[in-house]
């Protein structure tokens, strides 16, 4: 039973808004460290902006391009949320949009506890999440992550160069990776068990509660280039990263989270299926069937139905994207814990 004394909504929030092509504020209830925004009705990029690399800049999860300075990004971070310009990618007139926001530790601070150079860490160890910026190297190096525990998943991207988003996780023993910006299957052949596939397991060393090891792969090997990494570990009542086994049945698998979900991300590692996203603001009642794709700029789609329950997710459809007879990787963040600090249970939708 998950019991926490703070509110998940003070550290993660999903927001929806209709664009108006004028400068404006989007309220999240806190000053976010990372904001990820997607237009729902137009084929625009998934836009991410963070305080560690700076407001007014963007990376695109469905694209391998370098970070750029664009009006299609968060213009500034403020105490109650963030501001937008009149750019029509994430604020187009009458367009419907969704954003997901995480509060860590703002712009962060320097950390020299590993061998990597010029490291900045913005971490919230209590909530098990951090952003890390570090200078690349063609040699193996160690980098601090600030999580206060062993990561469950690492998502990273070169900032100043073209390069894929790399995703690796402890459930595959860090022996390989997937690509956030593509639907490719998990890469675990060839040299993945000993060489370039072990992006964050240099020399066979797993990420620890303080450091992770990079192996100098082509995705992060330029000493003139910097990388940004997102780090998460599961925290009771707030987040859950793990795997589940689908059953290819409309009476689908139940995934216990220990909280009422706000956001649910999933990917089938063993096949070329898309990364999907559901949340509690685009569908406010069950069934939840309005999906977006991490790796595609496509508009919102319907399908891959599920229910958001007081303590987890119940799948309600068949098929490869989220409920084939296969194993899936997932990440989830809470709307409310199953049992709050006052003893009240989370309510059903």
């Amino acid at each position: 039973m998950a019991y926490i004394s703070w509110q998940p909504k003070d550290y993660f929030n999903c927001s929806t808004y209709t664009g108006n092509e004028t400068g404006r504020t989007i309220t999240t209830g806190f000053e976010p460290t990372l904001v990820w925004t997607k237009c729902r009705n137009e084929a625009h990029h998934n836009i991410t902006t963070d305080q560690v690399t700076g407001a007014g800049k963007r990376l695109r999860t469905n694209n391998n391009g370098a970070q750029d300075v664009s009006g299609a990004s968060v213009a500034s971070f403020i105490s109650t949320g963030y501001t937008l310009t009149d750019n029509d990618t994430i604020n187009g007139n009458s367009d419907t949009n969704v954003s997901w926001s995480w509060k860590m530790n703002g712009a962060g601070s320097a950390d020299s506890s590993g061998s990597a150079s010029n490291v900045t860490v913005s971490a919230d160890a209590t909530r098990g999440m951090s952003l890390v910026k570090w200078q690349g190297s063609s040699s193996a190096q160690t980098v601090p992550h600030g999580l206060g525990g062993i990561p469950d998943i690492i998502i990273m991207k070169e900032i100043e160069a073209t390069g894929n988003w790399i995703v690796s996780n402890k459930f595959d023993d860090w022996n390989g990776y997937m690509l956030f910006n593509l639907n490719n299957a998990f890469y675990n052949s060839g040299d993945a068990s000993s060489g370039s596939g072990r992006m964050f397991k240099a020399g066979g060393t797993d990420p620890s509660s303080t450091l992770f090891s990079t192996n100098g792969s082509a995705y992060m090997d330029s000493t003139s280039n910097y990388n940004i990494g997102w780090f998460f570990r599961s925290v009771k009542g707030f987040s859950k990263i793990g795997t589940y086994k689908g059953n290819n049945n409309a009476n689908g698998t139940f995934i216990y989270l220990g909280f009422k979900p706000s956001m649910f991300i999933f990917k089938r590692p063993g096949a070329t299926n898309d990364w999907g996203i559901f949340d509690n603001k685009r569908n406010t009642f069950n069934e939840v069937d309005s999906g977006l794709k991490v790796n595609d700029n496509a508009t919102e789609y319907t399908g891959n139905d599920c229910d958001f329950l007081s303590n987890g997710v119940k799948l309600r459809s068949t098929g490869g994207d989220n409920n084939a007879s296969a194993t899936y990787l997932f990440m989830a963040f809470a709307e409310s814990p199953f049992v709050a600090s006052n003893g009240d249970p989370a309510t059903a939708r």
Side-chain angles (χ1 to χ4, degrees):
M1 180 178 296
Y3 176 95
I4 58 177
S5 59
W6 38 269
Q7 291 296 316
K9 66 181 178 63
D10 293 331
Y11 301 91
F12 173 81
N13 195 28
C14 173
S15 306
T16 54
Y17 62 93
T18 300
N20 60 11
E21 286 194 50
T22 62
R24 63 189 301 188
T25 295
I26 305 299
T27 300
T28 64
F30 54 79
E31 181 177 324
T33 304
L34 170 66
V35 175
W36 176 355
T37 299
K38 177 70 177 81
C39 181
R40 302 164 58 186
N41 63 305
E42 298 282 353
H44 292 312
H45 292 297
N46 286 265
I47 305 297
T48 71
T49 306
D50 66 82
Q51 288 203 48
V52 176
T53 60
K57 302 175 184 178
R58 68 171 182 173
L59 287 167
R60 293 152 286 181
T61 68
N62 56 281
N63 185 292
N64 68 355
Q67 188 179 63
D68 62 28
V69 179
S70 168
S73 60
V74 168
S76 65
F77 297 93
I78 60 175
S79 62
T80 57
Y82 61 91
T83 67
L84 298 175
T85 69
D86 61 358
N87 187 278
D88 65 2
T89 300
I90 51 178
N91 194 22
N93 192 40
S94 300
D95 282 348
T96 56
N97 301 272
V98 61
S99 71
W100 307 284
S101 302
W102 292 261
K103 178 184 178 181
M104 299 173 200
N105 190 29
S109 57
D111 190 328
S112 59
S113 58
S115 63
S117 300
N118 300 313
V119 179
T120 302
V121 178
S122 177
D124 181 349
T126 301
R127 261 66 57 175
M129 52 187 183
S130 65
L131 293 187
V132 181
K133 178 183 175 182
W134 74 96
Q135 189 170 5
S137 172
S138 58
S139 302
Q141 57 183 343
T142 57
V143 187
H145 55 67
L147 279 187
I150 297 171
D152 288 328
I153 192 168
I154 300 173
I155 303 166
M156 66 81 56
K157 171 75 175 76
E158 288 182 288
I159 299 171
E160 297 142 324
T162 298
N164 291 319
W165 289 76
I166 305 302
V167 183
S168 194
N169 68 91
K170 76 173 187 181
F171 309 101
D172 291 302
D173 198 30
W174 308 104
N175 286 326
Y177 59 90
M178 290 180 288
L179 305 176
F180 221 31
N181 55 295
L182 296 172
N183 66 359
N184 294 27
F186 185 78
Y187 176 76
N188 62 355
S189 61
D191 62 359
S193 62
S194 59
S196 64
R198 286 184 167 184
M199 297 291 187
F200 307 114
K201 192 175 180 175
T205 302
D206 288 347
S208 73
S209 61
T210 56
L211 299 170
F212 65 100
S213 303
T214 68
N215 67 357
S217 79
Y219 288 110
M220 57 184 89
D221 68 355
S222 173
T223 56
S224 62
N225 188 24
Y226 283 79
N227 308 291
I228 187 71
W230 306 356
F231 298 80
F232 297 99
R233 63 177 176 85
S234 300
V235 171
K236 282 187 176 182
F238 177 69
S239 62
K240 182 72 174 177
I241 301 96
T243 62
Y244 68 86
K245 183 67 180 293
N247 65 6
N248 200 33
N249 193 304
N251 182 17
T253 297
F254 170 68
I255 305 152
Y256 178 77
L257 302 175
F259 53 77
K260 184 178 181 179
S262 179
M263 182 188 196
F264 184 68
I265 304 176
F266 53 90
K267 170 71 172 85
R268 181 180 176 182
T272 54
N273 290 102
D274 293 311
W275 294 84
I277 310 174
F278 290 127
D279 60 61
N280 65 337
K281 295 294 174 63
R282 290 178 295 129
N283 289 123
T284 57
F285 54 86
N286 292 326
E287 292 177 344
V288 176
D289 68 350
S290 296
L292 288 166
K293 298 177 181 181
V294 175
N295 55 284
D296 200 316
N297 70 348
T299 59
E300 196 170 71
Y301 69 94
T302 57
N304 302 323
D305 302 5
C306 66
D307 290 341
F308 277 11
L309 306 177
S310 62
N311 60 350
V313 172
K314 172 71 171 177
L315 302 180
R316 293 293 187 186
S317 66
T318 61
D321 278 349
N322 73 344
N323 195 30
S325 296
T327 299
Y328 293 79
L329 178 70
F330 75 89
M331 298 175 60
F333 295 90
E335 174 184 343
S336 58
F338 189 42
V339 176
S341 59
N342 61 5
D344 291 339
T347 57
R349 289 155 61 89

